[in-house]
Amino acid sequence: MVGRIPVMDVKPLVDFGRQPAKATVGEPFPVSATIFREGHDKLGAEVVLIAPDGTRRPPVRMVTDPHVPDRLSAWVTPDAEGAWTFEIQAWSDPLSTWQHDAGIKIPAGIDVELMFTEGRLLLERVSAGLESTPEQKLVAGAIDAAADTDRPVGARLAALQDPELEEVLHANPLRDLLSTEGPFKVYADRARALYGSWYEFFPRSEGAEVDPETGKVTSGTLRTAARRLDAVAEMGFDVVYLPPIHPIGEVNRKGPNNTLTPGPDDPGSPWAIGSRHGGHDAIHPDLGTFDDFDAFVARAGELGLEVALDLALQCAPDHPWATEHPEWFTTRADGSIAYAENPPKKYQDIYPLNFDNDPKGLSREILRVVKLWMKHGVRIFRVDNPHTKPVAFWEWLLAEVRRTDPDVVFLAEAFTRPAMMRALGAVGFQQSYTYFTWRNARGEIEDYLRELAHETDHLMRPNFFVNTPDILHAYLQYGGPAAFKIRATLAATSSPSWGVYAGFELFEHVAVKPGSEEYLDSEKYQIRVRDWEGAAAEGRTLAPYLRRLNEVRRQHPALQLLRNITIHSSDDDNILVYSKQARLPDGETDLVIVVINLDPHSTRETMVHLDLPALGMDWHDSFLVNDAFTGETWTWGQHNYVRLDPGHEPAHLLSVRRPR
């Protein structure tokens, strides 16, 4: 039933409360509700967080939304991992009601002594519940003033409207007609579920060698790939993500550039998993053994890197499951197993799984595979195309893993309809790929950042990859080196998690054909040998810039959060302006302002306009800003001139020194 003080439309709420809303240890999240009552009396409300062990955290007072009638909100912060809940407590606030009425009636000479008497009685109730001597003395003084008819009426009222007294009364409200709604579910994940810089590379390409006489390429191994980890760590990345490392199918194997005519030495696509050498629980023999993989994970750990492994639930035609469990696939009318299709695309080298014939058996086998890799140190899985599997399966699998290993993180690679992407987040995926790659104009970027930070934040956490082996956007194909800087800066500063696929730092930008987002000589189908050292020696690498971006991300907690973004404005449609801020443990505020020229071809100069009240400042305030890229310092205020040359630095990344 509705409480005596109605509390309705509570947020965050996922799937009618059946699933927990997303939270992260140390990240504030908003709780809001529509709260009202009959008549004109005032009310108050608080949010109470309840920890996984049942401990109730101190209540946080809700404040009224100035733009939405009867809408109240508060920000709360979980401080431990696990399953939290929150309650909303609402009450009739006789003190606020009296303060409002007294401020009108007493100056007007209406019921003066009656108002003072009612005020005194309320203050006596407050005093009875106080333990602090200074607070008691302050309230006692107000009680005396209310009762002292020898004082002027104005002086008595002023004593009861004293700001210090109002602070005490706000902190110690009288909760009449208390109504409680909840508990509502929230799950707080570890920080890596929210924040991290990802780097993707194919182990078979790292340390690969080309025979100068025959041109034959010898695959790299997990041992040679481990040598690349130092460079990844040097660039400041936190997670190294490996595409599938399992045996690759030999039947219907794809050749270079997705052709159907592979040569005898073509390695095939790592996503065509399974052969006579094994399936999802095996390692490609060219890459090495489980001992080699364990050594790779150990070396990554020494460098402060976590290893994320691709979980691609699909099979090559010669995967052991195809013969041992044909019921796990779709059989066509002619008796053949259906291969994957996304018309007009055909993937003859891949059999998709069918969860309808033996859902329990298939699900248990996948859980076994996941736990096998977990035992070898994998705590992050990037899941390939989860939207092509039943949502109910993911709900079960993620719950099973969370039950025993709540630190394991799953990233959903689902470039699909919003409803499916949000559903995958709702049932437990900790992170999600997004439409970021296809958001390039200022207006669509602004709208998308608002959506992710303020509308879907309780469902899904974004990971902004600037490129992938499948996606080379036209912006990078034709924007030149400046485009790579622009997209990296935007991804690294607007999302707490972002990612880079190897070759981005070398400005790889050639598509297989006009209008395509596929790379020419895609690494999905062949080994790519890169000259990292030569590029660095000749200055043909973006690695130092990526390192600086990741340094700044680590220096600024504001850039490690999702829900804290504010969009500002400029007079140029190609100049994007936003800020992020976070309250530090010492009470100070970390504030970063980002200004980006989205035009990779032209210098832009214009005025940018900051919403200073949203940054906790007055409209007339001025303050110092320091650019993380150039080291320059300027004095800024509400309106500021900028000139951004993409050939030099296409963005300002400004840390703010607040006025005191």
Side-chain angles (χ1 to χ4, degrees):
M1 294 180 63
V2 175
R4 181 62 182 80
I5 307 296
V7 178
M8 297 183 171
D9 190 20
V10 175
K11 295 180 180 179
L13 194 67
V14 176
D15 192 23
F16 304 102
R18 289 190 288 261
Q19 301 289 348
K22 280 188 166 43
T24 310
V25 174
E27 182 199 25
F29 70 90
V31 174
S32 64
T34 299
I35 307 175
F36 57 94
R37 64 164 302 173
E38 80 289 351
H40 302 288
D41 285 0
K42 303 297 181 181
L43 57 82
E46 293 173 335
V47 177
V48 179
L49 270 183
I50 304 168
D53 63 2
T55 304
R56 299 174 71 86
R57 296 293 187 259
V60 179
R61 193 71 172 264
M62 303 181 79
V63 297
T64 303
D65 187 325
H67 305 293
V68 183
D70 301 320
R71 194 71 187 171
L72 283 78
S73 64
W75 289 76
V76 293
T77 307
D79 54 17
E81 295 177 37
W84 291 69
T85 58
F86 68 87
E87 294 177 348
I88 296 179
Q89 298 180 343
W91 63 85
S92 177
D93 187 348
L95 277 167
S96 292
T97 301
W98 181 87
Q99 287 171 322
H100 172 269
D101 293 348
I104 296 173
K105 286 186 173 184
I106 292 177
I110 302 173
D111 298 335
V112 173
E113 290 306 321
L114 178 58
M115 292 302 299
F116 277 126
T117 299
E118 291 176 344
R120 175 178 56 79
L121 293 174
L122 291 172
L123 291 171
E124 288 174 350
R125 289 178 59 192
V126 174
S127 181
L130 293 177
E131 299 179 0
S132 169
T133 301
E135 291 182 343
Q136 279 185 329
K137 288 183 178 179
L138 191 62
V139 174
I143 293 172
D144 291 342
D148 188 356
T149 57
D150 293 333
R151 296 190 204 181
V153 169
R156 295 164 69 190
L157 180 59
L160 272 66
Q161 293 177 331
D162 179 76
E164 290 187 19
L165 175 67
E166 290 183 346
E167 288 184 13
V168 173
L169 299 182
H170 185 271
N172 299 275
L174 297 175
R175 297 176 174 87
D176 290 351
L177 307 178
L178 182 66
S179 302
T180 300
E181 288 293 337
F184 302 98
K185 298 177 183 178
V186 176
Y187 196 93
D189 288 299
R190 66 183 178 111
R192 184 63 69 231
L194 172 70
Y195 163 72
S197 302
W198 290 51
Y199 187 91
E200 174 183 3
F201 73 78
F202 288 71
R204 70 186 187 185
S205 291
E206 298 304 326
E209 296 180 349
V210 180
D211 187 309
E213 295 184 2
T214 65
K216 181 179 179 180
V217 181
T218 302
S219 172
T221 68
L222 287 166
R223 294 284 181 175
T224 61
R227 301 172 195 159
R228 178 66 181 156
L229 293 174
D230 290 82
V232 175
E234 177 67 20
M235 286 186 285
F237 289 97
D238 307 296
V239 178
V240 57
Y241 153 48
L242 305 182
I245 59 172
H246 315 298
I248 296 172
E250 298 169 357
V251 176
N252 296 338
R253 176 174 287 190
K254 292 294 184 72
N257 294 309
N258 199 25
T259 60
L260 300 177
T261 55
D265 298 320
D266 286 329
S269 169
W271 282 273
I273 298 171
S275 74
R276 56 193 170 89
H277 298 293
H280 286 74
D281 53 359
I283 294 174
H284 196 296
D286 287 352
L287 294 177
T289 66
F290 273 99
D291 286 341
D292 297 323
F293 181 76
D294 293 341
F296 183 94
V297 173
R299 179 56 183 156
E302 292 170 359
L303 295 169
L305 294 165
E306 290 195 59
V307 174
L309 187 63
D310 201 290
L311 179 63
L313 299 183
Q314 57 208 29
C315 301
D318 39 338
H319 191 294
W321 290 350
T323 53
E324 297 171 5
H325 294 281
E327 70 276 13
W328 291 352
F329 304 90
T330 298
T331 302
R332 305 191 70 178
D334 62 359
S336 64
I337 294 178
Y339 58 75
E341 292 185 79
N342 184 13
K345 294 182 179 180
K346 296 182 178 182
Y347 304 93
Q348 296 91 336
D349 56 339
I350 291 174
Y351 286 169
L353 296 174
N354 185 326
F355 284 78
D356 295 333
N357 300 322
D358 179 22
K360 288 186 178 180
L362 178 54
S363 298
R364 292 290 176 188
E365 173 65 0
I366 293 169
L367 178 62
R368 181 191 70 81
V369 168
V370 169
K371 291 202 168 186
L372 168 69
W373 292 104
M374 287 164 53
K375 289 179 181 178
H376 285 275
V378 177
R379 313 308 289 178
I380 304 176
F381 292 91
R382 179 269 197 189
V383 180
D384 190 69
N385 290 329
H387 56 289
T388 61
K389 288 80 183 174
V391 174
F393 159 72
W394 291 120
E395 182 179 21
W396 174 83
L397 179 73
L398 300 177
E400 284 295 301
V401 173
R402 175 174 278 178
R403 184 171 57 83
T404 59
D405 296 83
D407 64 312
V408 175
V409 172
F410 289 84
L411 165 64
E413 186 255 0
F415 301 110
T416 185
R417 301 182 306 279
M420 175 59 82
M421 293 174 68
R422 295 176 185 184
L424 292 170
V427 300
F429 274 93
Q430 285 84 359
Q431 285 190 15
S432 304
Y433 279 68
T434 69
Y435 304 137
F436 169 75
T437 310
W438 300 279
R439 300 292 185 267
N440 292 278
R442 173 182 151 183
E444 62 188 12
I445 293 171
E446 292 174 341
D447 290 344
Y448 199 46
L449 294 181
R450 290 190 187 99
E451 175 186 324
L452 293 172
H454 305 308
E455 298 174 20
T456 60
D457 52 294
H458 62 301
L459 291 170
M460 51 186 284
R461 302 185 187 95
N463 193 324
F464 281 1
F465 264 79
V466 291
N467 66 329
T468 76
D470 293 297
I471 304 170
L472 173 65
H473 193 274
Y475 188 90
L476 295 179
Q477 294 179 35
Y478 304 109
F484 287 74
K485 277 189 173 184
I486 291 166
R487 294 301 289 180
T489 302
L490 178 58
T493 60
S494 63
S495 173
S497 285
W498 79 297
V500 167
Y501 156 54
F504 181 87
E505 64 268 51
L506 299 185
F507 309 106
E508 293 178 359
H509 66 281
V510 181
V512 66
K513 61 182 179 181
S516 173
E517 292 185 344
E518 290 274 357
Y519 282 88
L520 177 64
D521 300 329
S522 170
E523 203 170 358
K524 292 187 298 180
Y525 308 107
Q526 61 194 80
I527 294 171
R528 175 170 289 189
V529 179
R530 297 181 174 93
D531 184 5
W532 301 112
E533 292 77 12
E538 297 173 12
R540 294 184 289 103
T541 175
L542 199 61
Y545 193 85
L546 302 183
R547 179 171 62 248
R548 182 58 181 148
L549 282 174
N550 286 327
E551 284 176 351
V552 175
R553 283 165 52 83
R554 289 178 176 173
Q555 293 166 359
H556 289 281
L559 298 178
Q560 301 170 20
L561 304 178
L562 171 63
R563 298 170 164 109
N564 61 338
I565 196 164
T566 300
I567 307 298
H568 303 276
S569 64
S570 79
D571 295 337
D572 187 323
D573 286 342
N574 283 282
I575 298 295
L576 173 68
V577 190
Y578 54 90
S579 63
K580 305 192 85 173
Q581 58 183 322
R583 181 59 59 90
L584 303 177
D586 62 4
E588 294 293 318
T589 298
D590 178 39
L591 173 59
V592 177
I593 299 172
V594 184
V595 185
I596 304 178
N597 178 3
L598 300 175
D599 181 354
H601 304 291
S602 304
T603 298
R604 296 278 176 167
E605 50 185 316
T606 190
M607 297 296 294
V608 301
H609 311 286
L610 303 180
D611 182 354
L612 293 186
L615 304 182
M617 302 183 200
D618 294 328
W619 286 114
H620 57 77
D621 281 343
S622 62
F623 47 91
L624 294 178
V625 296
N626 179 262
D627 194 320
F629 295 130
T630 67
E632 294 178 271
T633 298
W634 304 285
T635 298
W636 272 33
Q638 179 186 359
H639 308 292
N640 310 279
Y641 167 81
V642 298
R643 183 180 189 276
L644 292 169
D645 177 359
H648 176 54
E649 291 296 350
H652 289 317
L653 182 46
L654 306 174
S655 59
V656 175
R657 302 179 201 171
R658 286 179 173 271
R660 294 185 180 275

